[in-house]
mmCIF file of all heavy atoms in Angstrom:
data_model
loop_
_atom_site.group_PDB
_atom_site.id
_atom_site.type_symbol
_atom_site.label_atom_id
_atom_site.label_comp_id
_atom_site.label_asym_id
_atom_site.label_seq_id
_atom_site.Cartn_x
_atom_site.Cartn_y
_atom_site.Cartn_z
ATOM 1 N N MET V 1 5.935 -46.003 40.782
ATOM 2 C CA MET V 1 4.835 -46.396 41.657
ATOM 3 C C MET V 1 5.369 -47.255 42.800
ATOM 4 O O MET V 1 6.190 -48.139 42.610
ATOM 5 C CB MET V 1 3.809 -47.186 40.848
ATOM 6 C CG MET V 1 2.573 -47.527 41.606
ATOM 7 S SD MET V 1 1.333 -48.137 40.449
ATOM 8 C CE MET V 1 0.480 -49.237 41.501
ATOM 9 N N ALA V 2 4.920 -46.988 44.000
ATOM 10 C CA ALA V 2 5.386 -47.719 45.179
ATOM 11 C C ALA V 2 4.803 -49.131 45.210
ATOM 12 O O ALA V 2 3.728 -49.390 44.675
ATOM 13 C CB ALA V 2 4.974 -46.965 46.438
ATOM 14 N N GLU V 3 5.551 -50.037 45.823
ATOM 15 C CA GLU V 3 5.061 -51.408 45.953
ATOM 16 C C GLU V 3 3.911 -51.468 46.952
ATOM 17 O O GLU V 3 3.843 -50.676 47.877
ATOM 18 C CB GLU V 3 6.187 -52.329 46.405
ATOM 19 C CG GLU V 3 7.229 -52.557 45.343
ATOM 20 C CD GLU V 3 8.169 -53.679 45.720
ATOM 21 O OE1 GLU V 3 7.726 -54.610 46.380
ATOM 22 O OE2 GLU V 3 9.329 -53.591 45.335
ATOM 23 N N LYS V 4 3.041 -52.438 46.755
ATOM 24 C CA LYS V 4 1.855 -52.579 47.601
ATOM 25 C C LYS V 4 2.139 -53.544 48.753
ATOM 26 O O LYS V 4 1.617 -54.647 48.793
ATOM 27 C CB LYS V 4 0.673 -53.076 46.777
ATOM 28 C CG LYS V 4 0.314 -52.168 45.633
ATOM 29 C CD LYS V 4 -0.253 -50.874 46.133
ATOM 30 C CE LYS V 4 -0.640 -49.979 44.991
ATOM 31 N NZ LYS V 4 -1.200 -48.741 45.422
ATOM 32 N N ARG V 5 2.980 -53.124 49.701
ATOM 33 C CA ARG V 5 3.285 -53.953 50.860
ATOM 34 C C ARG V 5 2.291 -53.624 51.974
ATOM 35 O O ARG V 5 1.986 -52.460 52.221
ATOM 36 C CB ARG V 5 4.705 -53.735 51.336
ATOM 37 C CG ARG V 5 5.725 -54.204 50.304
ATOM 38 C CD ARG V 5 7.091 -54.343 50.872
ATOM 39 N NE ARG V 5 7.247 -55.479 51.748
ATOM 40 C CZ ARG V 5 7.432 -56.730 51.352
ATOM 41 N NH1 ARG V 5 7.455 -57.015 50.075
ATOM 42 N NH2 ARG V 5 7.584 -57.701 52.219
ATOM 43 N N ILE V 6 1.799 -54.663 52.634
ATOM 44 C CA ILE V 6 0.848 -54.466 53.724
ATOM 45 C C ILE V 6 1.394 -55.122 54.988
ATOM 46 O O ILE V 6 2.180 -56.066 54.919
ATOM 47 C CB ILE V 6 -0.541 -55.060 53.382
ATOM 48 C CG1 ILE V 6 -0.445 -56.560 53.095
ATOM 49 C CG2 ILE V 6 -1.168 -54.328 52.221
ATOM 50 C CD1 ILE V 6 -1.768 -57.268 53.050
ATOM 51 N N ASN V 7 0.999 -54.609 56.137
ATOM 52 C CA ASN V 7 1.374 -55.210 57.418
ATOM 53 C C ASN V 7 0.455 -56.378 57.700
ATOM 54 O O ASN V 7 -0.758 -56.281 57.497
ATOM 55 C CB ASN V 7 1.264 -54.194 58.551
ATOM 56 C CG ASN V 7 2.322 -53.133 58.455
ATOM 57 O OD1 ASN V 7 3.413 -53.384 57.957
ATOM 58 N ND2 ASN V 7 2.015 -51.946 58.922
ATOM 59 N N ILE V 8 1.031 -57.484 58.180
ATOM 60 C CA ILE V 8 0.231 -58.639 58.568
ATOM 61 C C ILE V 8 0.618 -59.059 59.977
ATOM 62 O O ILE V 8 1.748 -58.837 60.418
ATOM 63 C CB ILE V 8 0.396 -59.831 57.591
ATOM 64 C CG1 ILE V 8 1.842 -60.275 57.485
ATOM 65 C CG2 ILE V 8 -0.157 -59.483 56.237
ATOM 66 C CD1 ILE V 8 2.041 -61.562 56.723
ATOM 67 N N ILE V 9 -0.309 -59.662 60.685
ATOM 68 C CA ILE V 9 -0.079 -60.173 62.031
ATOM 69 C C ILE V 9 -0.048 -61.688 61.957
ATOM 70 O O ILE V 9 -0.925 -62.302 61.353
ATOM 71 C CB ILE V 9 -1.186 -59.695 62.991
ATOM 72 C CG1 ILE V 9 -1.176 -58.176 63.077
ATOM 73 C CG2 ILE V 9 -1.004 -60.316 64.363
ATOM 74 C CD1 ILE V 9 -2.342 -57.592 63.831
ATOM 75 N N LEU V 10 0.976 -62.291 62.578
ATOM 76 C CA LEU V 10 1.099 -63.747 62.590
ATOM 77 C C LEU V 10 0.562 -64.284 63.908
ATOM 78 O O LEU V 10 0.923 -63.799 64.987
ATOM 79 C CB LEU V 10 2.556 -64.169 62.399
ATOM 80 C CG LEU V 10 3.183 -63.756 61.073
ATOM 81 C CD1 LEU V 10 4.641 -64.201 61.033
ATOM 82 C CD2 LEU V 10 2.426 -64.323 59.906
ATOM 83 N N ARG V 11 -0.306 -65.281 63.815
ATOM 84 C CA ARG V 11 -0.982 -65.863 64.975
ATOM 85 C C ARG V 11 -0.563 -67.324 65.129
ATOM 86 O O ARG V 11 -0.526 -68.069 64.154
ATOM 87 C CB ARG V 11 -2.483 -65.770 64.768
ATOM 88 C CG ARG V 11 -3.295 -66.381 65.889
ATOM 89 C CD ARG V 11 -4.763 -66.302 65.614
ATOM 90 N NE ARG V 11 -5.215 -64.941 65.883
ATOM 91 C CZ ARG V 11 -6.371 -64.461 65.485
ATOM 92 N NH1 ARG V 11 -7.188 -65.188 64.761
ATOM 93 N NH2 ARG V 11 -6.726 -63.239 65.784
ATOM 94 N N CYS V 12 -0.282 -67.729 66.360
ATOM 95 C CA CYS V 12 0.076 -69.115 66.657
ATOM 96 C C CYS V 12 -1.121 -70.021 66.399
ATOM 97 O O CYS V 12 -2.244 -69.718 66.809
ATOM 98 C CB CYS V 12 0.529 -69.246 68.103
ATOM 99 S SG CYS V 12 0.926 -70.932 68.597
ATOM 100 N N LYS V 13 -0.870 -71.126 65.707
ATOM 101 C CA LYS V 13 -1.949 -72.050 65.358
ATOM 102 C C LYS V 13 -2.436 -72.837 66.580
ATOM 103 O O LYS V 13 -3.593 -73.236 66.633
ATOM 104 C CB LYS V 13 -1.419 -73.005 64.281
ATOM 105 C CG LYS V 13 -2.447 -73.798 63.578
ATOM 106 C CD LYS V 13 -3.139 -72.983 62.526
ATOM 107 C CE LYS V 13 -3.931 -73.908 61.641
ATOM 108 N NZ LYS V 13 -5.038 -73.288 61.006
ATOM 109 N N GLU V 14 -1.576 -73.032 67.575
ATOM 110 C CA GLU V 14 -1.949 -73.831 68.746
ATOM 111 C C GLU V 14 -2.645 -73.017 69.837
ATOM 112 O O GLU V 14 -3.722 -73.376 70.290
ATOM 113 C CB GLU V 14 -0.709 -74.518 69.315
ATOM 114 C CG GLU V 14 -0.164 -75.583 68.392
ATOM 115 C CD GLU V 14 0.996 -76.331 68.987
ATOM 116 O OE1 GLU V 14 1.178 -76.293 70.221
ATOM 117 O OE2 GLU V 14 1.727 -76.962 68.211
ATOM 118 N N CYS V 15 -2.026 -71.913 70.265
ATOM 119 C CA CYS V 15 -2.597 -71.148 71.385
ATOM 120 C C CYS V 15 -3.366 -69.901 70.941
ATOM 121 O O CYS V 15 -3.958 -69.219 71.770
ATOM 122 C CB CYS V 15 -1.504 -70.760 72.370
ATOM 123 S SG CYS V 15 -0.321 -69.578 71.727
ATOM 124 N N LYS V 16 -3.341 -69.583 69.642
ATOM 125 C CA LYS V 16 -4.083 -68.463 69.052
ATOM 126 C C LYS V 16 -3.612 -67.080 69.513
ATOM 127 O O LYS V 16 -4.319 -66.098 69.343
ATOM 128 C CB LYS V 16 -5.597 -68.575 69.324
ATOM 129 C CG LYS V 16 -6.194 -69.903 68.934
ATOM 130 C CD LYS V 16 -6.171 -70.121 67.455
ATOM 131 C CE LYS V 16 -6.976 -71.359 67.113
ATOM 132 N NZ LYS V 16 -6.391 -72.175 66.097
ATOM 133 N N ASN V 17 -2.407 -66.979 70.079
ATOM 134 C CA ASN V 17 -1.866 -65.676 70.461
ATOM 135 C C ASN V 17 -1.194 -65.024 69.265
ATOM 136 O O ASN V 17 -0.577 -65.693 68.441
ATOM 137 C CB ASN V 17 -0.844 -65.823 71.599
ATOM 138 C CG ASN V 17 -1.507 -66.039 72.924
ATOM 139 O OD1 ASN V 17 -2.502 -65.395 73.235
ATOM 140 N ND2 ASN V 17 -0.978 -66.949 73.702
ATOM 141 N N GLU V 18 -1.310 -63.700 69.183
ATOM 142 C CA GLU V 18 -0.694 -62.943 68.104
ATOM 143 C C GLU V 18 0.699 -62.523 68.558
ATOM 144 O O GLU V 18 0.852 -61.715 69.460
ATOM 145 C CB GLU V 18 -1.553 -61.733 67.776
ATOM 146 C CG GLU V 18 -2.928 -62.134 67.286
ATOM 147 C CD GLU V 18 -3.894 -60.969 67.204
ATOM 148 O OE1 GLU V 18 -3.497 -59.827 67.520
ATOM 149 O OE2 GLU V 18 -5.048 -61.215 66.832
ATOM 150 N N ASN V 19 1.737 -63.095 67.907
ATOM 151 C CA ASN V 19 3.100 -62.921 68.395
ATOM 152 C C ASN V 19 3.991 -62.054 67.523
ATOM 153 O O ASN V 19 4.918 -61.449 68.033
ATOM 154 C CB ASN V 19 3.772 -64.293 68.539
ATOM 155 C CG ASN V 19 3.059 -65.164 69.544
ATOM 156 O OD1 ASN V 19 2.630 -64.693 70.573
ATOM 157 N ND2 ASN V 19 2.913 -66.427 69.232
ATOM 158 N N TYR V 20 3.752 -61.994 66.219
ATOM 159 C CA TYR V 20 4.660 -61.306 65.316
ATOM 160 C C TYR V 20 3.904 -60.401 64.347
ATOM 161 O O TYR V 20 2.768 -60.678 63.990
ATOM 162 C CB TYR V 20 5.468 -62.314 64.492
ATOM 163 C CG TYR V 20 6.377 -63.183 65.324
ATOM 164 C CD1 TYR V 20 5.987 -64.459 65.710
ATOM 165 C CD2 TYR V 20 7.626 -62.723 65.729
ATOM 166 C CE1 TYR V 20 6.810 -65.252 66.477
ATOM 167 C CE2 TYR V 20 8.459 -63.516 66.499
ATOM 168 C CZ TYR V 20 8.045 -64.777 66.865
ATOM 169 O OH TYR V 20 8.866 -65.561 67.629
ATOM 170 N N ILE V 21 4.591 -59.320 63.919
ATOM 171 C CA ILE V 21 4.078 -58.430 62.875
ATOM 172 C C ILE V 21 5.141 -58.372 61.795
ATOM 173 O O ILE V 21 6.323 -58.198 62.083
ATOM 174 C CB ILE V 21 3.804 -57.015 63.420
ATOM 175 C CG1 ILE V 21 2.763 -57.065 64.525
ATOM 176 C CG2 ILE V 21 3.365 -56.082 62.303
ATOM 177 C CD1 ILE V 21 2.552 -55.742 65.219
ATOM 178 N N THR V 22 4.729 -58.522 60.547
ATOM 179 C CA THR V 22 5.637 -58.462 59.410
ATOM 180 C C THR V 22 4.912 -57.853 58.220
ATOM 181 O O THR V 22 3.760 -57.446 58.346
ATOM 182 C CB THR V 22 6.196 -59.868 59.077
ATOM 183 O OG1 THR V 22 7.215 -59.756 58.094
ATOM 184 C CG2 THR V 22 5.102 -60.806 58.614
ATOM 185 N N THR V 23 5.579 -57.763 57.086
ATOM 186 C CA THR V 23 4.961 -57.215 55.882
ATOM 187 C C THR V 23 5.030 -58.232 54.759
ATOM 188 O O THR V 23 5.867 -59.135 54.779
ATOM 189 C CB THR V 23 5.657 -55.921 55.414
ATOM 190 O OG1 THR V 23 6.997 -56.221 55.064
ATOM 191 C CG2 THR V 23 5.600 -54.855 56.473
ATOM 192 N N LYS V 24 4.145 -58.075 53.788
ATOM 193 C CA LYS V 24 4.191 -58.901 52.591
ATOM 194 C C LYS V 24 3.680 -58.096 51.413
ATOM 195 O O LYS V 24 2.932 -57.130 51.578
ATOM 196 C CB LYS V 24 3.398 -60.193 52.761
ATOM 197 C CG LYS V 24 1.899 -60.049 52.622
ATOM 198 C CD LYS V 24 1.228 -61.396 52.572
ATOM 199 C CE LYS V 24 -0.246 -61.256 52.272
ATOM 200 N NZ LYS V 24 -0.908 -62.531 52.121
ATOM 201 N N ASN V 25 4.071 -58.525 50.217
ATOM 202 C CA ASN V 25 3.615 -57.896 49.001
ATOM 203 C C ASN V 25 2.311 -58.561 48.583
ATOM 204 O O ASN V 25 2.297 -59.720 48.196
ATOM 205 C CB ASN V 25 4.681 -58.046 47.910
ATOM 206 C CG ASN V 25 4.356 -57.260 46.672
ATOM 207 O OD1 ASN V 25 3.194 -57.051 46.339
ATOM 208 N ND2 ASN V 25 5.390 -56.833 45.972
ATOM 209 N N LYS V 26 1.223 -57.848 48.685
ATOM 210 C CA LYS V 26 -0.111 -58.385 48.392
ATOM 211 C C LYS V 26 -0.268 -58.760 46.922
ATOM 212 O O LYS V 26 -0.961 -59.723 46.597
ATOM 213 C CB LYS V 26 -1.152 -57.331 48.780
ATOM 214 C CG LYS V 26 -2.570 -57.786 48.697
ATOM 215 C CD LYS V 26 -2.943 -58.649 49.871
ATOM 216 C CE LYS V 26 -4.438 -58.860 49.913
ATOM 217 N NZ LYS V 26 -4.844 -59.678 51.016
ATOM 218 N N ARG V 27 0.394 -58.040 46.037
ATOM 219 C CA ARG V 27 0.266 -58.292 44.607
ATOM 220 C C ARG V 27 0.948 -59.596 44.184
ATOM 221 O O ARG V 27 0.390 -60.372 43.416
ATOM 222 C CB ARG V 27 0.862 -57.121 43.828
ATOM 223 C CG ARG V 27 0.576 -57.190 42.349
ATOM 224 C CD ARG V 27 0.987 -55.911 41.672
ATOM 225 N NE ARG V 27 0.087 -54.828 42.055
ATOM 226 C CZ ARG V 27 0.288 -53.565 41.782
ATOM 227 N NH1 ARG V 27 1.372 -53.190 41.147
ATOM 228 N NH2 ARG V 27 -0.584 -52.648 42.152
ATOM 229 N N SER V 28 2.151 -59.881 44.698
ATOM 230 C CA SER V 28 2.863 -61.094 44.282
ATOM 231 C C SER V 28 2.540 -62.316 45.138
ATOM 232 O O SER V 28 2.795 -63.439 44.717
ATOM 233 C CB SER V 28 4.373 -60.852 44.277
ATOM 234 O OG SER V 28 4.809 -60.543 45.577
ATOM 235 N N HIS V 29 1.991 -62.119 46.347
ATOM 236 C CA HIS V 29 1.624 -63.224 47.238
ATOM 237 C C HIS V 29 0.220 -63.021 47.795
ATOM 238 O O HIS V 29 0.043 -62.662 48.962
ATOM 239 C CB HIS V 29 2.618 -63.341 48.400
ATOM 240 C CG HIS V 29 4.019 -63.573 47.960
ATOM 241 N ND1 HIS V 29 4.450 -64.777 47.478
ATOM 242 C CD2 HIS V 29 5.087 -62.752 47.914
ATOM 243 C CE1 HIS V 29 5.721 -64.691 47.168
ATOM 244 N NE2 HIS V 29 6.136 -63.463 47.413
ATOM 245 N N PRO V 30 -0.813 -63.272 46.999
ATOM 246 C CA PRO V 30 -2.188 -63.006 47.459
ATOM 247 C C PRO V 30 -2.715 -64.020 48.474
ATOM 248 O O PRO V 30 -3.645 -63.726 49.218
ATOM 249 C CB PRO V 30 -3.006 -63.060 46.176
ATOM 250 C CG PRO V 30 -2.220 -63.924 45.269
ATOM 251 C CD PRO V 30 -0.774 -63.701 45.618
ATOM 252 N N ASP V 31 -2.121 -65.225 48.545
ATOM 253 C CA ASP V 31 -2.623 -66.240 49.472
ATOM 254 C C ASP V 31 -2.112 -65.983 50.893
ATOM 255 O O ASP V 31 -1.246 -65.142 51.116
ATOM 256 C CB ASP V 31 -2.231 -67.642 49.003
ATOM 257 C CG ASP V 31 -0.749 -67.762 48.689
ATOM 258 O OD1 ASP V 31 -0.110 -66.717 48.458
ATOM 259 O OD2 ASP V 31 -0.243 -68.881 48.681
ATOM 260 N N ARG V 32 -2.650 -66.710 51.853
ATOM 261 C CA ARG V 32 -2.320 -66.526 53.257
ATOM 262 C C ARG V 32 -0.916 -67.032 53.568
ATOM 263 O O ARG V 32 -0.513 -68.108 53.158
ATOM 264 C CB ARG V 32 -3.342 -67.259 54.124
ATOM 265 C CG ARG V 32 -3.166 -66.936 55.600
ATOM 266 C CD ARG V 32 -4.301 -67.425 56.402
ATOM 267 N NE ARG V 32 -5.484 -66.657 56.066
ATOM 268 C CZ ARG V 32 -6.626 -66.764 56.696
ATOM 269 N NH1 ARG V 32 -6.751 -67.622 57.679
ATOM 270 N NH2 ARG V 32 -7.650 -66.046 56.349
ATOM 271 N N PHE V 33 -0.166 -66.262 54.337
ATOM 272 C CA PHE V 33 1.218 -66.560 54.684
ATOM 273 C C PHE V 33 1.263 -67.418 55.947
ATOM 274 O O PHE V 33 0.518 -67.188 56.895
ATOM 275 C CB PHE V 33 1.960 -65.235 54.916
ATOM 276 C CG PHE V 33 3.390 -65.389 55.301
ATOM 277 C CD1 PHE V 33 4.331 -65.775 54.371
ATOM 278 C CD2 PHE V 33 3.798 -65.127 56.594
ATOM 279 C CE1 PHE V 33 5.656 -65.902 54.720
ATOM 280 C CE2 PHE V 33 5.123 -65.255 56.959
ATOM 281 C CZ PHE V 33 6.061 -65.635 56.019
ATOM 282 N N SER V 34 2.159 -68.430 55.964
ATOM 283 C CA SER V 34 2.358 -69.240 57.169
ATOM 284 C C SER V 34 3.824 -69.648 57.258
ATOM 285 O O SER V 34 4.488 -69.848 56.237
ATOM 286 C CB SER V 34 1.466 -70.472 57.156
ATOM 287 O OG SER V 34 1.817 -71.324 56.094
ATOM 288 N N THR V 35 4.329 -69.748 58.484
ATOM 289 C CA THR V 35 5.723 -70.109 58.710
ATOM 290 C C THR V 35 5.886 -70.687 60.113
ATOM 291 O O THR V 35 5.031 -70.474 60.984
ATOM 292 C CB THR V 35 6.641 -68.890 58.519
ATOM 293 O OG1 THR V 35 7.991 -69.308 58.601
ATOM 294 C CG2 THR V 35 6.371 -67.812 59.547
ATOM 295 N N MET V 36 6.982 -71.407 60.322
ATOM 296 C CA MET V 36 7.305 -71.924 61.650
ATOM 297 C C MET V 36 8.071 -70.846 62.407
ATOM 298 O O MET V 36 9.093 -70.353 61.928
ATOM 299 C CB MET V 36 8.157 -73.190 61.544
ATOM 300 C CG MET V 36 7.437 -74.377 60.963
ATOM 301 S SD MET V 36 6.100 -74.989 61.990
ATOM 302 C CE MET V 36 7.005 -75.782 63.307
ATOM 303 N N LYS V 37 7.555 -70.456 63.572
ATOM 304 C CA LYS V 37 8.192 -69.440 64.404
ATOM 305 C C LYS V 37 8.120 -69.896 65.860
ATOM 306 O O LYS V 37 7.319 -70.735 66.225
ATOM 307 C CB LYS V 37 7.464 -68.095 64.289
ATOM 308 C CG LYS V 37 7.383 -67.497 62.919
ATOM 309 C CD LYS V 37 8.633 -66.802 62.509
ATOM 310 C CE LYS V 37 8.638 -65.375 63.005
ATOM 311 N NZ LYS V 37 9.834 -64.667 62.580
ATOM 312 N N TYR V 38 8.964 -69.271 66.706
ATOM 313 C CA TYR V 38 8.953 -69.574 68.127
ATOM 314 C C TYR V 38 7.788 -68.861 68.809
ATOM 315 O O TYR V 38 7.592 -67.652 68.627
ATOM 316 C CB TYR V 38 10.272 -69.131 68.768
ATOM 317 C CG TYR V 38 10.307 -69.345 70.252
ATOM 318 C CD1 TYR V 38 10.500 -70.609 70.776
ATOM 319 C CD2 TYR V 38 10.128 -68.286 71.121
ATOM 320 C CE1 TYR V 38 10.530 -70.817 72.140
ATOM 321 C CE2 TYR V 38 10.146 -68.474 72.487
ATOM 322 C CZ TYR V 38 10.351 -69.744 72.996
ATOM 323 O OH TYR V 38 10.363 -69.954 74.346
ATOM 324 N N CYS V 39 7.021 -69.601 69.574
ATOM 325 C CA CYS V 39 5.912 -69.017 70.342
ATOM 326 C C CYS V 39 6.328 -68.950 71.807
ATOM 327 O O CYS V 39 6.564 -69.989 72.433
ATOM 328 C CB CYS V 39 4.652 -69.859 70.179
ATOM 329 S SG CYS V 39 3.269 -69.222 71.147
ATOM 330 N N PRO V 40 6.419 -67.756 72.391
ATOM 331 C CA PRO V 40 6.814 -67.650 73.795
ATOM 332 C C PRO V 40 5.758 -68.178 74.771
ATOM 333 O O PRO V 40 6.085 -68.542 75.896
ATOM 334 C CB PRO V 40 7.048 -66.156 74.001
ATOM 335 C CG PRO V 40 6.348 -65.487 72.889
ATOM 336 C CD PRO V 40 6.270 -66.460 71.753
ATOM 337 N N HIS V 41 4.516 -68.257 74.347
ATOM 338 C CA HIS V 41 3.457 -68.759 75.229
ATOM 339 C C HIS V 41 3.454 -70.288 75.271
ATOM 340 O O HIS V 41 3.245 -70.887 76.319
ATOM 341 C CB HIS V 41 2.094 -68.239 74.774
ATOM 342 C CG HIS V 41 2.034 -66.749 74.732
ATOM 343 N ND1 HIS V 41 1.883 -65.973 75.852
ATOM 344 C CD2 HIS V 41 2.141 -65.886 73.694
ATOM 345 C CE1 HIS V 41 1.893 -64.702 75.513
ATOM 346 N NE2 HIS V 41 2.046 -64.624 74.197
ATOM 347 N N CYS V 42 3.694 -70.916 74.116
ATOM 348 C CA CYS V 42 3.774 -72.380 74.046
ATOM 349 C C CYS V 42 5.170 -72.880 74.424
ATOM 350 O O CYS V 42 5.348 -74.056 74.729
ATOM 351 C CB CYS V 42 3.451 -72.870 72.637
ATOM 352 S SG CYS V 42 1.804 -72.469 72.073
ATOM 353 N N ASN V 43 6.153 -71.985 74.362
ATOM 354 C CA ASN V 43 7.551 -72.283 74.673
ATOM 355 C C ASN V 43 8.145 -73.307 73.706
ATOM 356 O O ASN V 43 8.918 -74.167 74.112
ATOM 357 C CB ASN V 43 7.691 -72.738 76.125
ATOM 358 C CG ASN V 43 9.100 -72.585 76.625
ATOM 359 O OD1 ASN V 43 9.868 -71.805 76.095
ATOM 360 N ND2 ASN V 43 9.438 -73.341 77.643
ATOM 361 N N LYS V 44 7.765 -73.218 72.415
ATOM 362 C CA LYS V 44 8.306 -74.109 71.385
ATOM 363 C C LYS V 44 8.039 -73.532 70.005
ATOM 364 O O LYS V 44 7.329 -72.543 69.869
ATOM 365 C CB LYS V 44 7.696 -75.503 71.506
ATOM 366 C CG LYS V 44 6.190 -75.539 71.321
ATOM 367 C CD LYS V 44 5.646 -76.946 71.500
ATOM 368 C CE LYS V 44 4.133 -76.925 71.416
ATOM 369 N NZ LYS V 44 3.563 -78.253 71.579
ATOM 370 N N MET V 45 8.610 -74.164 68.996
ATOM 371 C CA MET V 45 8.381 -73.770 67.606
ATOM 372 C C MET V 45 7.013 -74.288 67.168
ATOM 373 O O MET V 45 6.725 -75.473 67.324
ATOM 374 C CB MET V 45 9.455 -74.355 66.689
ATOM 375 C CG MET V 45 10.844 -73.828 66.935
ATOM 376 S SD MET V 45 11.064 -72.128 66.420
ATOM 377 C CE MET V 45 11.148 -72.325 64.659
ATOM 378 N N THR V 46 6.191 -73.377 66.651
ATOM 379 C CA THR V 46 4.850 -73.758 66.194
ATOM 380 C C THR V 46 4.567 -73.087 64.852
ATOM 381 O O THR V 46 5.269 -72.162 64.453
ATOM 382 C CB THR V 46 3.761 -73.326 67.198
ATOM 383 O OG1 THR V 46 3.820 -71.913 67.353
ATOM 384 C CG2 THR V 46 3.918 -74.014 68.529
ATOM 385 N N LEU V 47 3.546 -73.541 64.205
ATOM 386 C CA LEU V 47 3.110 -72.939 62.943
ATOM 387 C C LEU V 47 2.385 -71.642 63.241
ATOM 388 O O LEU V 47 1.480 -71.597 64.076
ATOM 389 C CB LEU V 47 2.192 -73.889 62.178
ATOM 390 C CG LEU V 47 1.725 -73.405 60.825
ATOM 391 C CD1 LEU V 47 2.904 -73.345 59.851
ATOM 392 C CD2 LEU V 47 0.653 -74.298 60.271
ATOM 393 N N HIS V 48 2.798 -70.562 62.567
ATOM 394 C CA HIS V 48 2.146 -69.257 62.684
ATOM 395 C C HIS V 48 1.545 -68.920 61.342
ATOM 396 O O HIS V 48 2.204 -69.029 60.316
ATOM 397 C CB HIS V 48 3.155 -68.187 63.089
ATOM 398 C CG HIS V 48 3.484 -68.212 64.546
ATOM 399 N ND1 HIS V 48 4.196 -69.223 65.121
ATOM 400 C CD2 HIS V 48 3.208 -67.325 65.520
ATOM 401 C CE1 HIS V 48 4.342 -68.954 66.402
ATOM 402 N NE2 HIS V 48 3.729 -67.808 66.669
ATOM 403 N N GLU V 49 0.285 -68.493 61.346
ATOM 404 C CA GLU V 49 -0.415 -68.140 60.118
ATOM 405 C C GLU V 49 -0.867 -66.695 60.168
ATOM 406 O O GLU V 49 -1.067 -66.125 61.242
ATOM 407 C CB GLU V 49 -1.632 -69.036 59.900
ATOM 408 C CG GLU V 49 -1.284 -70.420 59.458
ATOM 409 C CD GLU V 49 -2.511 -71.203 59.021
ATOM 410 O OE1 GLU V 49 -3.624 -70.888 59.490
ATOM 411 O OE2 GLU V 49 -2.336 -72.124 58.212
ATOM 412 N N GLU V 50 -1.071 -66.140 58.991
ATOM 413 C CA GLU V 50 -1.558 -64.777 58.866
ATOM 414 C C GLU V 50 -2.966 -64.655 59.440
ATOM 415 O O GLU V 50 -3.830 -65.462 59.156
ATOM 416 C CB GLU V 50 -1.539 -64.395 57.384
ATOM 417 C CG GLU V 50 -2.035 -63.023 57.095
ATOM 418 C CD GLU V 50 -2.022 -62.706 55.615
ATOM 419 O OE1 GLU V 50 -1.357 -63.413 54.846
ATOM 420 O OE2 GLU V 50 -2.706 -61.743 55.238
ATOM 421 N N LYS V 51 -3.159 -63.613 60.234
ATOM 422 C CA LYS V 51 -4.489 -63.336 60.800
ATOM 423 C C LYS V 51 -5.406 -62.831 59.705
ATOM 424 O O LYS V 51 -4.970 -62.174 58.775
ATOM 425 C CB LYS V 51 -4.333 -62.271 61.884
ATOM 426 C CG LYS V 51 -5.593 -61.868 62.570
ATOM 427 C CD LYS V 51 -5.277 -60.778 63.576
ATOM 428 C CE LYS V 51 -6.544 -60.173 64.108
ATOM 429 N NZ LYS V 51 -6.249 -59.082 65.048
ATOM 430 N N LYS V 52 -6.692 -63.138 59.810
ATOM 431 C CA LYS V 52 -7.662 -62.685 58.806
ATOM 432 C C LYS V 52 -7.743 -61.183 58.745
ATOM 433 O O LYS V 52 -7.751 -60.503 59.711
ATOM 434 C CB LYS V 52 -9.057 -63.221 59.117
ATOM 435 C CG LYS V 52 -9.189 -64.686 58.906
ATOM 436 C CD LYS V 52 -10.618 -65.094 59.148
ATOM 437 C CE LYS V 52 -10.786 -66.589 59.031
ATOM 438 N NZ LYS V 52 -12.120 -67.026 59.330
#
């Protein structure tokens, strides 16, 4: 059986722009994903969270 990986969009917490697309395993990580990434609009490292 194939793994249940889904595509997610990461959104900047400060400017609300959608900057990155990645995948995650929905079965092993059901909660919302967040990480520090570079935002080209803010021109700095900001917190990016999974879009609803």
Side-chain angles (χ1 to χ4, degrees):
M1 186 168 149
E3 290 191 33
K4 301 291 181 179
R5 294 195 73 80
I6 59 167
N7 290 330
I8 58 171
I9 298 172
L10 298 178
R11 178 182 283 165
C12 177
K13 194 79 167 154
E14 292 184 19
C15 67
K16 308 293 189 220
N17 283 318
E18 298 169 1
N19 298 320
Y20 296 97
I21 299 173
T22 188
T23 63
K24 78 170 187 176
N25 188 330
K26 187 77 168 180
R27 189 171 290 170
S28 62
H29 301 286
D31 51 340
R32 188 169 292 187
F33 179 73
S34 64
T35 186
M36 292 294 287
K37 301 280 274 182
Y38 177 76
C39 178
H41 302 282
C42 298
N43 200 22
K44 61 182 176 180
M45 295 289 285
T46 59
L47 183 68
H48 282 69
E49 286 190 334
E50 179 181 344
K51 180 182 170 182
K52 290 184 184 177

